[in-house]
Amino acid sequence: MSSIGTYKARQFNLSGLKGISDQTLEMHFKLYEGYVKETNRLTERISEFIQDGKVDQEEMPAYSEITRRLGFEFNGMVLHEYYFDNLKSGGGTGDPARSQQFYKATETSFGSYEIWKADFVGIGKMRGVGWAICYQNPSNGRLSNHWITLHEVGNVAGFDPILVMDVWEHAYLLDYKPADRPKYIEAFFSNINWDIVERRLRKDTGARSVSA
Ligand SMILES: [Fe+2]
C-alpha cells in the first residue's frame, strides 16, 4: 500500500523533568506511539472503504465508527506532540519572562499573567480526562484557554495551540495520586519550554487589517 498519509512517531528527549519521572515519560511515549499507529491503521481502513469510489449502505456503520475514531486517534497523536514539545528536558524556569511576547499576550487578553494562569490551572483541575489548552486566535492575536474532553471534543477550529497540558490520569498517575492533580500541574509549569511557546505565537496579528 502507498505510504501517503502515514505518520511516524517522533522521538522526544525529555529526561530529568522536575516532578515528572522518566518512568512516566517512557510509558507516555508508548501511549503516544499507539495513537500514531492507530491513526495510520484507521486511515488505511478508510482508504479501503472508499477504494471503489463509494461507501455502500452495508459499509456505512463500520465506516462511520472508524471515521469517528479517527478524530480521537488523530487528535491524540497531535496533542501529545504539542505537549511533549512544550516541555523542557532538565526542567524549565517556572513562569515566563515578563519581556516575552507570551507574557504580554496574557496581559492583553486576560488583564494579567496571573489571571491567565488562574484560568489555565483551573481548567486543568476540571474533573474528567482531557486537556487544558491555551489557544491563540490567529485573526486578532488574542489568547483563550479551553477544556478538551478526551482528545477531540472542544478544540477550536483554526485557532493555534500555544500551550498544551495533558491532564489524563496517565500523565501523572505513577508520580501522584489521582486526587493530587494540582501537584502534577505545578510540576508541569516548572518544566514548560517557554521558548517553544514563544515560537508558536503569531507576532503579526496585531498589524493585520480586518479587510486584508
Ligand atoms: Fe497523554
Side-chain angles (χ1 to χ4, degrees):
M1 275 317 255
S2 118
S3 62
I4 295 171
T6 300
Y7 291 87
K8 282 201 169 63
R10 289 177 47 204
Q11 301 292 315
F12 300 90
N13 173 22
L14 287 179
S15 56
L17 293 184
K18 300 173 191 165
I20 299 173
S21 65
D22 290 353
Q23 197 190 357
T24 291
L25 288 168
E26 281 312 310
M27 183 270 300
H28 215 161
F29 292 149
K30 286 270 179 301
L31 280 174
Y32 156 67
E33 284 165 19
Y35 286 112
V36 177
K37 215 170 142 192
E38 279 299 288
T39 297
N40 288 330
R41 197 176 70 83
L42 298 181
T43 304
E44 189 69 40
R45 290 286 308 280
I46 289 168
S47 78
E48 287 164 15
F49 274 116
I50 57 177
Q51 206 80 63
D52 60 358
K54 61 186 187 324
V55 181
D56 297 328
Q57 195 59 35
E58 66 272 18
E59 290 174 334
M60 194 47 99
Y63 172 82
S64 304
E65 177 57 20
I66 291 169
T67 300
R68 288 196 183 96
R69 282 175 53 99
L70 183 62
F72 172 82
E73 304 290 351
F74 218 123
N75 278 289
M77 172 179 76
V78 171
L79 290 182
H80 277 104
E81 290 172 354
Y82 273 97
Y83 171 73
F84 294 136
D85 270 339
N86 62 213
L87 291 172
K88 191 174 186 178
S89 175
T93 53
D95 294 320
R98 283 166 183 271
S99 58
Q100 285 190 306
Q101 200 66 42
F102 178 79
Y103 192 97
K104 291 173 184 158
T106 61
E107 290 178 326
T108 314
S109 306
F110 286 82
S112 75
Y113 170 75
E114 287 70 27
I115 292 172
W116 167 82
K117 187 172 177 177
D119 185 46
F120 188 84
V121 168
I123 290 172
K125 290 177 182 170
M126 282 169 59
R127 290 173 67 77
V129 290
W131 301 76
I133 301 184
C134 174
Y135 283 99
Q136 185 185 38
N137 179 344
S139 71
N140 61 13
R142 286 183 72 85
L143 301 179
S144 52
N145 297 322
H146 299 263
W147 167 260
I148 312 306
T149 300
L150 300 177
H151 303 306
E152 75 279 34
V153 182
N155 289 290
V156 187
F159 277 28
D160 299 322
I162 302 299
L163 180 65
V164 174
M165 178 168 69
D166 192 341
V167 287
W168 281 60
E169 285 173 353
H170 66 239
Y172 59 90
L173 210 54
L174 296 178
D175 303 323
Y176 305 97
K177 295 192 182 85
D180 283 340
R181 196 193 280 187
K183 288 185 186 164
Y184 157 72
I185 293 173
E186 222 172 281
F188 171 82
F189 263 83
S190 67
N191 292 296
I192 294 173
N193 188 334
W194 291 109
D195 290 337
I196 294 291
V197 170
E198 197 73 353
R199 248 181 273 163
R200 288 175 181 166
L201 278 179
R202 295 195 192 204
K203 310 291 193 306
D204 60 345
T205 52
R208 193 182 296 169
S209 107
V210 177
S211 58

